Amino acid sequence: MQDVSRLAAWLAGTDIGLLELRTPEGTLRLGRRGDDVVELPQDEEEVEPVPVKAPSLGVFLHGHPLATAPLVRIGARVEAGQTVGLLKIGPLLLPVAAPQAGIVDGVHVADGAAVGYGTPLLELHPL
């Protein structure tokens, strides 16, 4: 039990939303509930990921053209309305916002790829 407390304390200091540790003795799942890190029961239903879709057609950018870092990375915690990417439409840069709070589970579109309206860009694991 002391090891679980240490892992929970470590997890609280990171941006990681879910930690699943599989051992021969079983699986340990730690996750966030609000600001707290708790042990999740094994029989908890898997939450369906939420897609972040393109609000228009354009060229999807992971970050601003003048910045070197992407706006979000896989495993990053985002808030509802937070900009997670940009759509370049001619000279215009349109922000792509997260529809709800969550953890970025996956990025489906490469940086600089042309996308159409409704194209799934990212996947969020809801909090």
Side-chain angles (χ1 to χ4, degrees), residues 16-122:
I16 298 171
L18 175 68
L19 173 71
E20 185 171 281
L21 182 63
R22 294 181 184 164
T23 67
E25 291 81 35
T27 302
L28 171 67
R29 297 181 70 208
L30 297 175
R32 294 185 185 274
R33 293 250 168 93
D35 290 334
D36 298 327
V37 175
V38 297
E39 186 171 351
L40 301 174
Q42 295 303 318
D43 59 340
E44 185 172 288
E45 287 186 30
E46 283 296 316
V47 179
E48 287 293 317
V50 175
V52 178
K53 297 181 180 181
S56 177
L57 58 87
V59 174
F60 182 63
L61 303 175
H62 291 196
H64 193 278
L66 300 177
T68 57
L71 291 166
V72 294
R73 298 182 190 277
I74 294 176
R77 182 179 183 155
V78 297
E79 299 301 322
Q82 179 177 337
T83 301
V84 295
L86 297 168
L87 268 185
K88 183 176 180 187
I89 307 166
L92 176 68
L93 292 177
L94 178 69
V96 177
Q100 68 183 63
I103 306 296
V104 178
D105 269 347
V107 178
H108 298 298
V109 178
D111 188 48
V115 297
Y117 173 79
T119 301
L121 304 171
L122 304 166

